[in-house]
Every structure is written in C-alpha cells, then in structure tokens.
Amino acid sequence: MSIISLLSDFGHKDPYVAEMKAVILSVNPQVRFVDITHEITKFCIPMGAYTLASAAPFFPLNTVHVAVVDPGVGTNRRPIIVHTQRNLYVGPDNGLLILAANKEKITKVYVIDNPKYMLATVSNTFHGRDIFAPVAAHLSKGVKPCEFGSEINDYVCPKFTTAHFKDAELVGEVLHVDDFGNVISNISVHDLEKLGLQLGCSVRVELGDNGFNVPFGSAYGEVACGDAVLLVGGGDFVEVSVNQGNASKLFNENVGDTFCLSLVKC
Amino acid sequence: MSIISLLSDFGHKDPYVAEMKAVILSVNPQVRFVDITHEITKFCIPMGAYTLASAAPFFPLNTVHVAVVDPGVGTNRRPIIVHTQRNLYVGPDNGLLILAANKEKITKVYVIDNPKYMLATVSNTFHGRDIFAPVAAHLSKGVKPCEFGSEINDYVCPKFTTAHFKDAELVGEVLHVDDFGNVISNISVHDLEKLGLQLGCSVRVELGDNGFNVPFGSAYGEVACGDAVLLVGGGDFVEVSVNQGNASKLFNENVGDTFCLSLVKC
Amino acid sequence: MSIISLLSDFGHKDPYVAEMKAVILSVNPQVRFVDITHEITKFCIPMGAYTLASAAPFFPLNTVHVAVVDPGVGTNRRPIIVHTQRNLYVGPDNGLLILAANKEKITKVYVIDNPKYMLATVSNTFHGRDIFAPVAAHLSKGVKPCEFGSEINDYVCPKFTTAHFKDAELVGEVLHVDDFGNVISNISVHDLEKLGLQLGCSVRVELGDNGFNVPFGSAYGEVACGDAVLLVGGGDFVEVSVNQGNASKLFNENVGDTFCLSLVKC
C-alpha cells in the first residue's frame, strides 16, 4: 500500500486531475490518493510551494508527492524527481517542490528523461498526465529514482523571504491568505520569542498602509466575534485572524504585502 | 477495512483536509475516506448538522464520521466522541454531531482528554488535525471509545425547529438551499399528509414576503422548464424547485426564512 | 479491486456525491473511486458528455463510469447501462454516456428495471443515489449487465457537431472552456492537417465577432506572457490559449460560439 498526494492549479471543473489518477491506477491499482489541493492560484508557484511544504510533514514516510503548477510545460523546463530523507517529489523544475523538500533534507535530484516510464504519446500541454503521473505510479511500485534519468545539481531553488528585525520592529510579509481569511505571515514562532511577546500582550500590526493594535492570543474564540487577534496558526506561522470573521477582507491584505509587528505593552 | 467520513467548513483551497487525511493514514493506512463536504458555510453549525444528518443514514455500519465546524476551537468547548447504535461521531461539543446521532440513538458520549491518542503537539487553532483526526483513526482500528476519556451527559444539544400547524396553515422554515437552488424546508412528508395534500393538488407557498401557487408534484421535469413545483426531495423534506432553474434566486429565499404551506385546491 | 468513476453536476456543497459513495460502499466495500468532476454546468448534458469522453480513455479496462446530469430524473426518461468493449457506463438515457461509449464501440445497451439492484425506496429526485449508485456497485462486483433489465436499441444518441471546410476556412465551434480559460474547439488534429498548418505558421482565428492572427505553436510558454497561441491540447482538440492568462476572458468566448481557422502565412 503506497500513498500518492496530488497538488495542482487545475481547479475542479475539468477532468485533468481524474486523468492523472486514471493513468496512475493503470500502473499501480493499489495506490491510495490524497488530494492536497487543486485550487492553487493559477501559475502561482510560491503558493503551491508554501501549500506543499505545509502539508508534507504530516504524511507517512515514503509518500510520493506529485505537484503540478507548471506554466513552462512543453518548453525547456525539466521534469524532475526530488528524493529526500522522507519522501519523493515529482513535478516541474521551477522551484515548486524545493521548499517542502528542503525541510526533509534533499538527498538527490534526477531529471526525468527515460521514455519507458512516460505515456506512449507525450503532449506539450499536459505533463501532469503524460509524465508526472506515470512516473509517480512507477515510483510508488518501487522503481528506483535513478531509473528515470540522470542526477542533476542545478535544479531551480526558489528564494523565499524570511522575517528580520529593523530596530524594535519585526518585518515580514504575507505568505498566504487562507479560505477563512486568516492572514498568514512568514514570521515564525521563534522570531516572536525574540520580540519578547507573551500571551496577553498588546502588539501593533502594520499591514501595508493599515496599522492597529491587537492582543496576542492563542485561540480564535478568545476575542469577541468580529474582533482581531494575533496568534500562531497550525503551520507555526504568525497570523492575524478575526473571530468568526475574515481578516483579509477587513484589512484588505494580500499575499506579498508587508506584515510588521512591534510590542505595545505587556 | 473501515470507513471514515469527513465534513468541514475548510473549503478546498488550503491543505487542511489533506493534513487530516495524512494524520489518519499515518495511524491506519487501511482506512477508506468519503468526503461529505468541505463547503459548509464558515462557522455555520446548523448547516453542518443538517448535512451530516442527511448523509449519515446511507453509510455502512461502523463508519467513523469526523465533522469539524468549530468556531470555539482552542477555548473551553470540549472535543467529544458520540457513540450511537450504528456509528461513531468525532468532533466539537457544539451541537454539530447531535442531529445525526439522535437519528441513530445515542448510546454514550465521551469527552476526549487522553493525550495518548492526540498528536504530540496540539495547536489551539486546528483540533481537526491534532485531535479529531488521530482519534478517528484509532477508533477505526478498534480502540474502544471509553479509552479516549470519561463519559459525559451534559453535551450540547442544538435546538432544531419543527414545523407546526397554525389554523389550516403548515408553518415551517427554510432548512437548506442546495447547489441547484432547491429551497428545502423542515416540513416532512408526514406533516404533508396531515395537510391532506395529494399529487396534482395546487398549494400556496409563502416564502418570506413572497406568495405563489404551485402544483404538488413528484419530479422536477413534471412542470415546464422555468416553472416551480413543490415536491418531496431525496432527504424526505418538502422543497420548492424550479425545473432546470434556481428556485432560491427566483424567490430570493435564504436559510431560516419562513416556509408556509396551505391547500388551494385538489 | 475495481474502479468506479463519478461525474455529475452536483457541485461540492451538498452531501449528494457522498450519499452515492456511501451506497456503493455498502454494496462493495472494495471499490476505488475516482471523481471525474462534479462541476458540470447544471443540466448541461453536452458538457458532461464531452468531459466524460475526455477522461474515459485513460482509465483501466473494466472501469464502471457513473455519470449523472439528469434534468429528466423521475420522468419517463430511462436509466441505462451501456456496455462497451472496454468499460461499463451507468446513467440516464439522455445522451450523456454515448459520446464516450461510442469511442470504445458499444456492444449492448440495457434499460435498468430490476428493482433487486436499486435501493428499497427509490425517490423521484435522486436516481444517482437510489438507482445508479447501487447498480454500479453490483456491476463492479461482477453482476452481468443483462441481470439489470432488457436490452434496448432506441437509446438517445446526441448529435455532436463536427468541423467542416467552407472554401479555405475550417469552420468549427467552441466545445469547452476549461478552468484556465483555454478555448477548446471541436477541430481535431486531423482537420488541421487538411488545412496545411505547420508549427510556426501564422493562422487567423475567428471567434464569434473577434478575429486575430496567432502563431500555431506546441506549448503555452512558447509565446510571451499574455500573448495568444493556437495549439493542440491534451485531448487532441485545437485550442486558443494565452500564456499565463485567460483566453476565454480576453476574447469573450463561450461554449457553442463559432471557431474558424484560416491559414495566413507559413
């Protein structure tokens, strides 16, 4: 029994995800699927990378993760396999896989060029179905990564910003806005400790042009309905949330906007 | 082989559902998943309760249903297991599980407080992943419900309105508007019999400020395209529908609005 | 181990798909599900037929495909099983199944009228759950198609338009607009060859009232971001796409609009 996870920007309207699963089941009927999401913003590699890196740590060892956010499909961007100490990743060489893979320590990266493990006809528009799906299926059956092509070292490494201090202010940016409207920053729980923030303190949050003071809490329901709270979310990043509301709409915040914190009073 | 169903208000954009499934598969790789829905209106416990109660009767015996519509996560609301004569339910103690469970006769309810069956680190923002998922996985492997915590009797019982007669008028309310725009009431087929309504009769429907006469039929396609019909839907509740149209938009109806019926002529 | 695919216009908000799966698992707990899509435009049989026909060829032999786009549910439209040389199809007799089935050569078609294989109570509003789901489950367990009812020959055959030449112009129509905004025509790769079009040629595309010249390429990323390209998509149909953009919005094109091609220069 092996597990294949799938992540893409395909949406749910078209048969594209099903075609990938059908190809995989044709090779390995025993595989189990888990859809991470297919609603990555179209062509948005950073959002795909963030989402994959959030989910991957919860999967069992030896999961094969297939991720397809692939604006360069059919051009000279390479299809790759990333082998880490925990898992295998299959997808385009555009940085999508590397944030997640780096957390698990990359052992080797291979370009996929052995046609034996691709569909007989490979389109230039849908490598998810024609290359990544059958490769993932064969990996899930135990074919060794080195069978698919040669090792490479020059794979694309995305740059992800990290938070830093500017005087007493902790300067980060918005990493993700989730479906609840929680505004998730790239500020980690370790960064917070350096700020000296403790539960119950009041903290100033500057989001783009908006500034406001909120309590630092530990649960959404600790503040009144409609009130904002700063807390550490399920992915260990600092987020601003509104209890039973939508912080993203309230503060008009989007991915990439600045997200700065400073201590008001404890 | 055991089945775990999942219901939530998480949407499909984020990796939250996948994280729950990954945690479950780490404990029980043999489990089968059925997603009931993840598009419950955010924080809307009554809609979650209605949807869970609609689907649950069709599942095999001994299904473990995990439901997470949980605005109180991380506060003093308790995580619970509800054991019925057919199935097991896992989720927050906010009424979400009880409408479905009552239909199957509740045998016992347990608070979950044994950390042995939770993730090593439990966040205050995502008990779906950190508590409910691993608990469901262990239940699906045969761990007895009493192993997870003590029995309780003071669990939250939601109040659901039932239809009643006011003179010759049957007075109910809108329970759900489905994705087709069907306006589903809390009026049951048994209530209808008391009204003396038979197939082919004309019936007056008062929805909020709108009143109109429609035929009482048995299938959407019995009336012309764009025409309204009153019928008993797949969940045994009375609904107003528009053949190949959207009754909710036509009549501007929402959940909680009044839904009254009176006989016009047979 | 057998596979059941599901396609419908049910959306993801309601428990309808889950009720079908729960019914199927009650009959055959070993079955594997693949959701093709549940976001077919409501009541749109041609879109359902196109989508099913796109995905079906990628599935293993002996898959049972259940498809429900069924505005005539509960009327005199018949429930049917279509047996092809590769697979089995279950759904309403309204043309939905036939485009896919014809590609695999239909061997026999049966009306479903044996109540032994339906739910004990059959509603007039949800045959997906009450008839198609249990029938598919029994088929997946090896019950012969002829056990479900009598053979018929007068099943509904939908008319699908094909492209044709008008002087030097290849005249087709828009078959589908996918979630990326790719405008997919009913013009096949074989039609293109007759036009004498080769990679790198410039081609005039007339979409409804819009006309414009684009290159004929082989991958989205061959043109600059925001530029249009004509290419053969993953389903072997000709499509107009915008690199990292949305062709459907740019050209304001919808399903059924004309899609004409003529050679400009090679």
Side-chain angles (χ1 to χ4, degrees):
Chain A
M1 181 84 70
S2 49
I3 297 170
I4 292 183
S5 89
L6 298 109
L7 175 146
S8 77
D9 59 353
F10 294 168
H12 289 93
K13 189 175 101 170
D14 302 301
Y16 303 146
V17 176
E19 292 178 14
M20 289 182 63
K21 291 180 178 173
V23 166
I24 290 170
L25 288 170
S26 300
V27 175
N28 184 359
Q30 301 300 326
V31 84
R32 307 288 308 275
F33 295 117
V34 177
D35 295 292
I36 295 184
T37 180
H38 299 290
E39 295 192 359
I40 298 298
T41 300
K42 303 247 180 278
F43 319 119
C44 186
I45 296 165
M47 179 180 166
Y50 165 78
T51 304
L52 184 59
S54 299
F58 296 96
F59 279 82
L61 283 180
N62 299 318
T63 295
V64 180
H65 296 289
V66 186
V68 192
V69 180
D70 194 13
V73 61
T75 66
N76 60 357
R77 80 91 191 86
R78 299 170 296 187
I80 57 170
I81 296 169
V82 182
H83 198 173
T84 75
Q85 289 184 1
R86 292 191 84 243
N87 296 305
L88 289 155
Y89 293 83
V90 181
D93 179 26
N94 61 14
L96 179 66
L97 314 174
I98 303 303
L99 185 66
N102 270 337
K103 291 167 77 172
E104 300 173 356
K105 297 227 161 61
I106 294 175
T107 52
K108 286 189 174 165
V109 178
Y110 302 88
V111 66
I112 301 166
D113 55 20
N114 187 344
K116 179 178 166 190
Y117 300 109
M118 304 178 187
L119 287 199
T121 305
V122 173
S123 73
N124 275 320
T125 53
F126 194 2
H127 285 186
R129 179 192 67 198
D130 303 340
I131 298 179
F132 304 135
V135 165
H138 287 288
L139 283 171
S140 77
K141 285 180 78 174
V143 178
K144 297 261 172 286
C146 60
E147 300 288 323
F148 296 85
S150 334
E151 194 183 341
I152 58 169
N153 290 300
D154 60 342
Y155 53 89
V156 175
C157 283
K159 290 197 179 56
F160 289 95
T161 59
T162 50
H164 62 277
F165 275 89
K166 188 177 169 187
D167 302 324
E169 196 180 41
L170 187 49
V171 179
E173 67 175 52
V174 177
L175 206 57
H176 183 59
V177 174
D178 78 5
D179 206 48
F180 288 89
N182 297 321
V183 177
I184 302 169
S185 75
N186 64 346
I187 298 174
S188 72
V189 66
H190 302 296
D191 296 326
L192 267 199
E193 284 163 12
K194 295 180 210 152
L195 192 66
L197 196 60
Q198 294 176 343
L199 286 181
C201 293
S202 177
V203 61
R204 178 140 193 101
V205 185
E206 305 271 352
L207 292 176
D209 295 337
N210 294 307
F212 48 95
N213 295 350
V214 295
F216 176 53
S218 66
Y220 305 120
E222 282 177 353
V223 294
C225 277
D227 278 4
V229 60
L230 186 86
L231 44 69
V232 179
D236 279 342
F237 288 113
V238 173
E239 64 183 57
V240 168
S241 305
V242 169
N243 185 19
Q244 300 189 43
N246 186 307
S248 166
K249 286 186 183 160
L250 191 63
F251 302 121
N252 192 26
E253 275 299 295
N254 294 303
V255 170
D257 290 349
T258 56
F259 188 111
C260 302
L261 297 183
S262 50
L263 205 58
V264 176
K265 120 180 146 203
C266 277
Chain B
M1 182 84 70
S2 49
I3 297 171
I4 292 182
S5 90
L6 299 108
L7 175 147
S8 78
D9 60 352
F10 294 168
H12 289 95
K13 189 175 102 171
D14 302 300
Y16 303 146
V17 176
E19 292 177 15
M20 289 181 64
K21 290 179 178 173
V23 166
I24 290 170
L25 288 170
S26 300
V27 175
N28 184 359
Q30 302 301 324
V31 85
R32 306 289 308 275
F33 295 117
V34 177
D35 295 292
I36 295 184
T37 181
H38 298 289
E39 294 192 0
I40 298 298
T41 301
K42 302 244 181 280
F43 319 118
C44 186
I45 296 165
M47 179 180 165
Y50 165 79
T51 304
L52 184 60
S54 299
F58 296 95
F59 279 82
L61 283 180
N62 299 319
T63 296
V64 180
H65 296 288
V66 186
V68 192
V69 180
D70 194 14
V73 60
T75 65
N76 61 355
R77 80 92 191 86
R78 299 171 296 188
I80 56 170
I81 296 168
V82 182
H83 197 175
T84 75
Q85 288 184 0
R86 291 191 85 243
N87 296 306
L88 289 155
Y89 293 83
V90 181
D93 179 26
N94 61 15
L96 179 66
L97 313 174
I98 303 303
L99 185 65
N102 271 337
K103 290 168 78 174
E104 301 172 354
K105 297 227 162 61
I106 294 173
T107 51
K108 284 189 174 164
V109 179
Y110 302 87
V111 66
I112 301 166
D113 55 20
N114 187 344
K116 178 178 165 189
Y117 300 110
M118 305 177 186
L119 287 199
T121 306
V122 174
S123 73
N124 275 320
T125 54
F126 195 2
H127 285 186
R129 181 191 66 198
D130 304 339
I131 298 178
F132 303 137
V135 165
H138 287 288
L139 283 170
S140 77
K141 286 181 77 175
V143 178
K144 298 261 172 287
C146 61
E147 299 289 323
F148 296 85
S150 335
E151 195 183 342
I152 58 169
N153 289 298
D154 61 342
Y155 53 90
V156 174
C157 282
K159 289 197 181 55
F160 289 95
T161 60
T162 50
H164 62 277
F165 276 90
K166 188 177 170 189
D167 301 324
E169 195 179 44
L170 187 49
V171 179
E173 68 176 52
V174 178
L175 206 57
H176 184 58
V177 174
D178 79 6
D179 206 48
F180 288 89
N182 297 320
V183 178
I184 302 170
S185 75
N186 65 346
I187 297 175
S188 72
V189 66
H190 303 295
D191 295 325
L192 267 200
E193 285 164 11
K194 294 181 209 152
L195 193 65
L197 196 58
Q198 294 176 342
L199 287 180
C201 293
S202 176
V203 62
R204 181 143 191 97
V205 185
E206 305 271 354
L207 292 176
D209 294 338
N210 294 306
F212 48 95
N213 294 351
V214 295
F216 177 52
S218 67
Y220 304 121
E222 282 176 354
V223 295
C225 276
D227 278 5
V229 59
L230 187 86
L231 43 69
V232 179
D236 279 343
F237 287 113
V238 173
E239 64 183 56
V240 169
S241 305
V242 169
N243 185 19
Q244 299 189 42
N246 186 306
S248 166
K249 286 186 183 160
L250 191 64
F251 303 121
N252 192 25
E253 275 299 295
N254 294 302
V255 170
D257 290 348
T258 57
F259 187 111
C260 302
L261 297 181
S262 51
L263 205 57
V264 176
K265 117 179 150 209
C266 277
Chain C
M1 181 86 67
S2 49
I3 297 171
I4 292 182
S5 90
L6 298 109
L7 174 148
S8 77
D9 60 351
F10 294 168
H12 289 94
K13 190 175 102 170
D14 303 299
Y16 303 147
V17 176
E19 292 177 15
M20 290 182 62
K21 290 180 178 172
V23 166
I24 290 169
L25 288 170
S26 300
V27 175
N28 183 358
Q30 301 300 326
V31 85
R32 306 288 308 275
F33 295 117
V34 177
D35 295 291
I36 295 184
T37 180
H38 299 291
E39 293 192 0
I40 298 298
T41 300
K42 302 245 181 278
F43 319 120
C44 186
I45 296 165
M47 178 179 167
Y50 164 78
T51 304
L52 184 59
S54 300
F58 295 95
F59 280 82
L61 284 180
N62 299 317
T63 295
V64 180
H65 296 289
V66 187
V68 192
V69 180
D70 194 12
V73 60
T75 66
N76 60 356
R77 81 92 191 87
R78 299 170 296 187
I80 58 172
I81 297 168
V82 182
H83 197 175
T84 75
Q85 288 183 1
R86 290 190 86 244
N87 296 305
L88 289 156
Y89 293 84
V90 181
D93 179 25
N94 61 15
L96 179 66
L97 313 175
I98 302 303
L99 185 66
N102 271 337
K103 291 168 77 173
E104 301 172 353
K105 297 228 162 58
I106 294 175
T107 51
K108 285 190 174 165
V109 179
Y110 302 88
V111 67
I112 301 166
D113 56 19
N114 187 345
K116 179 178 166 190
Y117 299 109
M118 305 177 185
L119 288 200
T121 305
V122 174
S123 73
N124 275 320
T125 54
F126 194 1
H127 286 186
R129 180 191 67 198
D130 303 340
I131 298 179
F132 303 136
V135 165
H138 287 288
L139 283 170
S140 76
K141 286 180 78 176
V143 177
K144 298 260 172 285
C146 61
E147 299 289 323
F148 296 85
S150 333
E151 194 184 342
I152 59 169
N153 289 299
D154 62 340
Y155 54 90
V156 174
C157 282
K159 289 196 180 55
F160 288 95
T161 59
T162 49
H164 62 277
F165 275 90
K166 189 177 170 188
D167 303 324
E169 195 179 43
L170 188 48
V171 180
E173 66 175 54
V174 178
L175 206 57
H176 183 60
V177 174
D178 80 4
D179 206 49
F180 288 90
N182 298 320
V183 177
I184 303 169
S185 75
N186 64 346
I187 297 175
S188 73
V189 67
H190 302 296
D191 297 325
L192 265 200
E193 285 164 11
K194 295 182 210 152
L195 193 66
L197 196 59
Q198 294 176 342
L199 285 181
C201 293
S202 177
V203 62
R204 180 144 191 96
V205 185
E206 305 270 354
L207 292 176
D209 295 337
N210 294 307
F212 49 94
N213 295 350
V214 296
F216 177 52
S218 66
Y220 305 121
E222 283 176 354
V223 295
C225 276
D227 279 4
V229 59
L230 188 86
L231 45 69
V232 179
D236 280 342
F237 288 113
V238 173
E239 63 183 58
V240 169
S241 304
V242 169
N243 185 18
Q244 299 190 44
N246 187 306
S248 165
K249 286 186 183 159
L250 191 62
F251 302 121
N252 193 25
E253 275 298 295
N254 293 303
V255 171
D257 290 349
T258 57
F259 188 111
C260 302
L261 298 182
S262 50
L263 205 58
V264 177
K265 130 181 138 195
C266 276

